[in-house]
Amino acid sequence: MNNPVPNAPAAIPPPATAAPPGKPAARRIVELDVLRGFALCGILLVNIPPMMHMDRTVDYQVLPIPHVFDMFVQQRFFPIFSLLFGVGFGIFLASAGQRAAHPRVVFLRRLVVLAGFGILHQFLQPGEALLPYAILGLVVLLPMSFLPWWANLPIGAALIAAATILASGGTSLIPGMMLTGFALAQSGLPATLHRRGGQIAIVFAVAVIASAGFLVLQEQDPLSAGFTHSSAAAGLFMAIAYATGLLLLMRTPARRALSAVLEPLGRMALTNYVTATLLVLLLGPLVGLWESAEYGALIALAVGILLVQIIWSRLWLARFRYGPLEWVWRCATWWSIVPNRRVTA
């Protein structure tokens, strides 16, 4: 890292979602929004089968599309999403420290509101992510926020390693991913992503090689994918490869197209995550997904939902500063009604 200053949160440019009422919105970090949008795409593919109680095996053989999901989707996207939640919480707390006398009280309120969203969402999708993120924010990030980045980063890495080795990954990775993201935000790294092309390329190369090796091991027992150490390691390294590969693409002429598609999706990540659940529950049975193995229809539904969300996110953000649920979250966090409509000349 380029000499990050452990106890200088002012060096972290806060996102637009962190400024309190009456303050101008700060510059968002586009790369983070693009990564969030990208993670949402994979998470939707992962969430539909359990929500629709779909079959993934026939005669003790994994069906072709679920097999591809096991190789390239399952356990590959939620680590990115978990890391980004940690990054977002870290940036928020740093920004709140510049704007509130008791920033951890504001952060606590933000986590409690997120828990409320999660509790309601649990009724629609048991096992969803918002409630665990809120709880882990309360029991892990809030107390660890008193430590500097250089203490939190190795602790987060150790938690990730322990979850991979001892618990074969899965949701046990979330505490370590969130704390690691939080520590990266404390260090100021997200604001310097545009200057770290060489470092990102090295991480990408290592992650690709490691994920390929562990994927070969995972394929030795495809029926147990998601429950073995090799599949956990493959998922973790592939998540790193996906994230760093996308960051490298953001340094090319593809940046404009990627931003146009994924940035609005990521800026409204909370709204899109919840509304995707509603759309799946409404439309999934209508297209024959319930208790079926119609994975072609699943992909079509997922693509359709994402296209609708990309279009409506762009239209909404052209008129408003925050997504609907993001606005509610923001108002409740700062305990004030926040202006949302964009002012046009």
Side-chain angles (χ1 to χ4, degrees):
M1 298 180 182
N2 293 339
N3 297 322
V5 182
N7 296 312
I12 306 174
T17 53
K23 295 283 186 177
R27 183 185 68 84
R28 296 185 68 97
I29 301 174
V30 173
E31 289 81 358
L32 298 183
D33 286 325
V34 169
L35 283 171
R36 285 190 191 96
F38 174 68
L40 282 175
C41 296
I43 287 170
L44 179 59
L45 290 173
V46 170
N47 284 347
I48 294 177
M51 289 173 63
M52 291 290 102
H53 300 275
M54 298 180 69
D55 298 322
R56 64 184 297 273
T57 61
V58 173
D59 296 329
Y60 301 101
Q61 295 293 323
V62 182
L63 293 167
I65 293 178
H67 188 196
V68 172
F69 283 4
D70 286 342
M71 294 174 66
F72 301 107
V73 182
Q74 293 281 0
Q75 297 204 55
R76 276 63 172 166
F77 288 89
F78 88 84
I80 301 174
F81 208 49
S82 302
L83 183 84
L84 290 172
F85 253 89
V87 170
F89 285 145
I91 292 176
F92 175 84
L93 184 57
S95 180
Q98 302 172 43
R99 294 168 168 83
H102 304 287
R104 287 180 177 83
V105 174
V106 181
F107 184 40
L108 174 63
R109 193 158 57 229
R110 187 165 183 80
L111 293 170
V112 170
V113 176
L114 181 64
F117 283 135
I119 291 170
L120 294 175
H121 195 218
Q122 283 279 340
F123 288 105
L124 299 174
Q125 183 193 339
E128 60 85 53
L130 301 180
L131 184 57
Y133 287 160
I135 292 172
L136 289 169
L138 289 167
V139 303
V140 176
L141 299 188
L142 193 56
M144 300 300 279
S145 68
F146 291 95
L147 296 180
W149 74 268
W150 47 264
N152 282 329
L153 190 60
I155 295 172
L159 290 174
I160 293 171
T164 303
I165 296 169
L166 301 177
S168 298
T171 56
S172 64
L173 283 170
I174 295 176
M177 298 304 299
M178 287 184 64
L179 183 58
T180 298
F182 189 84
L184 292 176
Q186 286 180 304
S187 76
L189 183 142
T192 66
L193 287 173
H194 61 286
R195 300 202 304 264
R196 297 181 180 272
Q199 295 169 320
I200 293 171
I202 292 171
V203 174
F204 172 73
V206 172
V208 167
I209 295 170
S211 61
F214 282 111
L215 188 59
V216 170
L217 294 176
Q218 174 184 311
E219 283 299 283
Q220 304 307 305
D221 186 10
L223 283 172
S224 298
F227 302 96
T228 63
H229 299 117
S230 58
S231 62
L236 179 60
F237 281 110
M238 200 169 289
I240 297 171
Y242 284 171
T244 52
L246 185 58
L247 289 175
L248 290 175
L249 285 174
M250 288 291 289
R251 301 173 62 84
T252 72
R255 178 186 178 92
R256 177 175 295 183
L258 290 170
S259 295
V261 173
L262 297 175
E263 184 183 357
L265 197 64
R267 286 184 62 183
M268 291 174 48
L270 177 61
T271 296
N272 286 325
Y273 178 65
V274 173
T275 56
T277 299
L278 294 171
L279 290 171
V280 170
L281 292 175
L282 175 66
L283 300 176
L286 297 179
V287 298
L289 295 186
W290 184 258
E291 294 185 343
S292 77
E294 299 294 332
Y295 282 88
L298 179 154
I299 293 174
L301 177 62
V303 170
I305 289 174
L306 290 170
L307 286 175
V308 168
Q309 289 188 328
I310 289 166
I311 293 170
W312 99 281
S313 295
R314 288 181 61 85
L315 293 174
W316 181 275
L317 291 171
R319 294 163 176 78
F320 300 95
R321 297 163 66 193
Y322 318 108
L325 292 186
E326 286 77 10
W327 178 75
V328 172
W329 195 14
R330 182 182 178 85
C331 291
T333 295
W334 291 104
W335 211 242
S336 177
I337 300 298
V338 180
N340 194 18
R341 186 175 291 276
R342 293 186 180 277
V343 178
T344 57

